[in-house]
Amino acid sequence: SVQSILFSFRPCFTAPSFENFVALMLGWILARGPHTVSRAIVAARAFGWTRRRHHATLYRFLARARWCVDDLGEILFRLLLPFLPEQIEAVLDDTLCHRSGPQLFGGGMHHDCSRSTYGGGTGRRKVLSFGHNWVVLSIWVAYPWNKERGVAVPLLFRLYRLPKRCPKAQYRKRTELACEMLEILASWLPGDRGLDLAADSEYACCTLLRGLSPDIDFTGPMVMNAALCVPGPIPRQRMGRPRTKGLRLPSPKSMARKTSTPWQKVTATLYGRQVDLLIKTWIAAWPRVLGQRPVRIVMTRDPKGHWADRVYFSTDIERTPQAILERYARRWSLEVTFRNAKQDLGLEDPRNGWWRRK
């Protein structure tokens, strides 16, 4: 059954490289202990895949063989397409793979979210760790037995390199890498399918969203002091400098204090359980990020007062506030994928070092 799935990726390789690909995949899944190429070779030899080949063949497969990981992502997307709805849900985030050693290509000091804290009894603490920072674009696939729950399947990924670790002409921000992958995924979509992207606050910025196609929706958080205005055509004025945006609207922080707009009590399914929230919702434009494109804004408040007020937005203004909150909560499935890839499949185990040469 596993081989039948792997044979779908045969057009991406030559005949010898495809045999190495299958051997490496099966060996990687069956390897026990640290997941390295050497342990994958030992596990694959039990099935006779590499009995007639030298062990250096699989090392050269990763270092010198001609194949593209984006082609694998496209075939995987085609395999999952029959199980996806008309509005495909994509999830974008980055993760840190801890590594060590001065001879690690592309490594650097990055923010470690798992070891940092954002408040509470110990206070705010920011921790940096050395390793690889990967920007990953995935799609959310619902389980057949429960449409409210699903798994995030990674399709595209890029390695983020710090400015000090790469030439200036090759440096690209995380948001620029995300924009590149989003364009690739959009080119794979059939004509009858749409795309709905969810990401955290780092990617809710003008670099990614200013040139976003009208056919792609975005759901993410918004800052409390966002400068909002009236969406739609910009009003003309007879005198003075021409306006570049609509009439100013109160910021989310001001809307939270306004008593003329009451809080509404709703119940949403977030992270697998029913949650009671107080919300305020309205439609506005965020010129700094999305220009004059209208967005639906949802402000949430904890009735018990344990959590601070938070604001979310979606470019799909017809969506209900509960659907916006539930859509953003499904972004957490990618964090579960990162956990499974690191702890069960050894994402941080390979020793891909390099030697310092001129």
Side-chain angles (χ1 to χ4, degrees):
S1 58
V2 177
Q3 294 179 21
S4 63
I5 297 176
L6 296 181
F7 268 94
S8 302
F9 301 94
R10 193 167 188 173
C12 300
F13 307 96
T14 61
S17 295
F18 177 71
E19 184 178 353
N20 297 332
F21 167 73
V22 174
L24 186 62
M25 284 292 298
L26 294 180
W28 199 273
I29 295 173
L30 299 174
R32 308 181 68 177
H35 285 69
T36 58
V37 177
S38 58
R39 287 183 176 267
I41 294 174
V42 174
R45 279 178 177 173
F47 293 87
W49 287 98
T50 58
R51 187 170 300 170
R52 297 182 179 179
R53 292 179 176 270
H54 195 267
H55 67 273
T57 305
L58 291 184
Y59 286 96
R60 289 196 299 265
F61 171 77
L62 294 175
R64 301 180 183 178
R66 295 185 178 181
W67 56 280
C68 182
V69 293
D70 292 352
D71 296 339
L72 298 180
E74 183 177 4
I75 293 181
L76 181 59
F77 176 74
R78 303 298 179 190
L79 294 176
L80 296 174
L81 195 58
F83 307 97
L84 300 178
E86 294 184 358
Q87 194 72 7
I88 299 175
E89 298 184 5
V91 183
L92 177 67
D93 203 356
D94 58 88
T95 184
L96 174 63
C97 293
H98 298 85
R99 299 296 176 86
S100 61
Q103 300 174 0
L104 184 70
F105 174 80
M109 298 297 294
H110 302 278
H111 179 250
D112 193 344
C113 299
S114 61
R115 299 175 59 187
S116 302
T117 59
Y118 299 91
T122 59
R124 187 178 181 90
R125 183 181 64 179
K126 183 177 180 180
V127 179
L128 299 177
S129 298
F130 184 82
H132 284 154
N133 186 255
W134 295 95
V135 183
V136 182
L137 179 61
S138 64
I139 56 174
W140 188 81
V141 183
Y143 293 133
W145 57 86
N146 189 352
K147 298 299 181 180
E148 300 298 328
R149 302 187 65 181
V151 59
V153 181
L155 295 180
L156 299 169
F157 53 89
R158 295 291 187 271
L159 176 63
Y160 170 71
R161 300 172 61 187
L162 295 173
K164 297 181 180 180
R165 293 273 179 167
C166 67
K168 185 177 181 181
Q170 300 179 7
Y171 172 73
R172 287 182 297 173
K173 299 185 293 185
R174 295 186 185 91
T175 51
E176 295 175 345
L177 297 175
C179 194
E180 175 188 342
M181 294 187 294
L182 187 61
E183 293 178 357
I184 296 176
L185 179 59
S187 65
W188 298 344
L189 294 177
D192 58 341
R193 300 294 181 97
L195 188 63
D196 184 9
L197 178 65
D200 57 9
S201 57
E202 182 177 2
Y203 300 96
C205 61
C206 59
T207 304
L208 180 64
L209 302 182
R210 179 59 64 89
L212 193 67
S213 172
D215 300 331
I216 302 177
D217 293 321
F218 182 86
T219 303
M222 177 182 288
V223 294
M224 291 294 292
N225 58 349
L228 307 176
C229 68
V230 177
I234 301 175
R236 299 180 61 181
Q237 53 187 19
R238 297 182 179 180
M239 300 180 61
R241 183 180 178 182
R243 299 184 64 93
T244 58
K245 53 187 177 181
L247 300 177
R248 186 68 179 268
L249 291 177
S251 64
K253 188 175 183 179
S254 301
M255 287 291 295
R257 296 193 298 260
K258 290 185 64 174
T259 57
S260 59
T261 305
W263 292 90
Q264 304 175 9
K265 186 176 182 179
V266 299
T267 301
T269 305
L270 305 178
Y271 308 107
R273 62 189 182 94
Q274 299 290 326
V275 180
D276 296 329
L277 295 171
L278 299 176
I279 67 167
K280 287 186 179 182
T281 179
W282 69 98
I283 297 177
W286 195 4
R288 183 181 180 85
V289 176
L290 282 162
Q292 288 298 115
R293 184 174 180 177
V295 297
R296 175 167 292 279
I297 303 173
V298 180
M299 180 185 299
T300 63
R301 171 170 289 182
D302 185 8
K304 300 180 181 180
H306 295 166
W307 302 95
D309 297 344
R310 299 180 180 180
V311 190
Y312 306 92
F313 74 98
S314 175
T315 56
D316 187 2
I317 60 177
E318 302 298 332
R319 188 175 298 174
T320 61
Q322 294 92 328
I324 294 176
L325 298 177
E326 293 171 359
R327 172 67 186 96
Y328 183 74
R330 285 195 289 270
R331 185 195 66 86
W332 187 256
S333 60
L334 184 55
E335 301 289 350
V336 179
T337 300
F338 290 154
R339 181 265 177 198
N340 295 336
K342 294 178 182 179
Q343 299 190 17
D344 298 334
L345 292 178
L347 181 61
E348 299 177 328
D349 295 344
R351 305 185 182 101
N352 49 341
W354 65 295
W355 191 256
R356 289 189 174 182
R357 297 186 179 93
K358 293 184 179 180

